[in-house]
Amino acid sequence: MANLNKELIKKNIFKLLDYSGLTDISFANLLDISDKQIKRIKKGEAEFSIDDINKACDFFKKTLASINSKEVEIDRKFRDKLIVQHKGNIEYSKLLQERPSITYAINFELLDNESFKTNGLDVSDISQVFEERGWEYSSSYISLAMSRNAEEIERIPHPTNKRRYAYKKRSKK
């Protein structure tokens, strides 16, 4: 392949990473690079090597041509599909058995939860939604993540306990 569009490839790899639920650290370990290098690549201060790109293509089950030609289309169930595809591959399946990033858990599980969208949930209810998928996060970690996602999530008064808050998917304006 003569013309590699490294910017498009980088964009597609990070999109695939988001949809896979892997943390940056897990992905860096997969590529055998430092987490600082991943941060530098995200900032545009470094690039993926050809070996990194090939390893990412292998993990994400995408061809180099597909991530080099246009923005990739990804199914919301991409992580679950990767888990099935990598069932016999210990190196990859181990990474996918770990809990996903909290950002993934919020974007792909919580924001689709009907109770969260309509009534709102408190931190213990959110924790239970995640635990149903086998993902455990501390209550302080969930609270921090809720506040960091204020563009998508609003904090509302708890319906029964005046000293607590609940969270709800922010309605589009």
Side-chain angles (χ1 to χ4, degrees):
M1 184 165 292
N3 296 325
L4 288 181
N5 182 338
K6 289 202 172 188
E7 194 57 39
L8 180 62
I9 290 170
K10 177 178 85 168
K11 180 179 176 182
N12 282 330
I13 287 174
F14 282 121
K15 183 176 181 181
L16 289 161
L17 179 61
D18 288 343
Y19 277 69
S20 76
L22 257 61
T23 62
D24 289 353
I25 293 171
S26 292
F27 189 59
N29 289 337
L30 173 74
L31 299 179
D32 200 25
I33 61 176
S34 70
D35 57 320
K36 288 181 183 179
Q37 182 71 356
I38 289 286
K39 289 175 186 170
R40 291 183 66 234
I41 293 168
K42 277 189 171 181
K43 290 179 184 177
E45 298 170 357
E47 294 180 344
F48 287 114
S49 72
I50 293 300
D51 287 341
D52 296 340
I53 294 167
N54 287 331
K55 182 80 167 190
C57 287
D58 186 48
F59 177 76
F60 295 128
K61 296 291 192 186
K62 299 290 181 186
T63 64
L64 179 56
S66 71
I67 67 167
N68 187 48
S69 61
K70 61 184 186 313
E71 187 171 342
V72 292
E73 295 294 321
I74 309 170
D75 184 306
R76 287 188 61 78
K77 296 292 183 185
F78 183 64
R79 178 184 175 85
D80 294 331
K81 290 178 180 179
L82 280 177
I83 289 170
V84 170
Q85 290 176 319
H86 290 308
K87 190 173 184 174
N89 183 332
I90 295 169
E91 178 186 11
Y92 295 161
S93 64
K94 181 183 178 298
L95 294 172
L96 293 163
Q97 295 309 316
E98 296 173 359
R99 75 173 187 200
S101 66
I102 189 76
T103 303
Y104 175 89
I106 291 168
N107 290 336
F108 293 90
E109 190 69 28
L110 188 61
L111 292 177
D112 285 340
N113 182 285
E114 214 41 58
S115 294
F116 184 75
K117 291 192 295 191
T118 56
N119 305 321
L121 300 172
D122 66 17
V123 171
S124 64
D125 295 328
I126 293 168
S127 180
Q128 187 163 359
V129 167
F130 294 154
E131 285 174 12
E132 287 172 7
R133 287 292 308 258
W135 308 332
E136 289 190 32
Y137 303 95
S138 69
S139 57
S140 59
Y141 194 48
I142 292 171
S143 295
L144 179 61
M146 294 296 108
S147 64
R148 287 185 174 168
N149 285 282
E151 66 281 348
E152 295 279 338
I153 297 168
E154 65 179 313
R155 189 170 81 167
I156 58 174
H158 193 281
T160 59
N161 186 338
K162 301 290 185 229
R163 297 183 315 183
R164 295 179 63 191
Y165 292 98
Y167 299 92
K168 182 178 178 181
K169 183 174 181 175
R170 192 173 291 281
S171 55
K172 301 287 182 196
K173 295 176 184 176

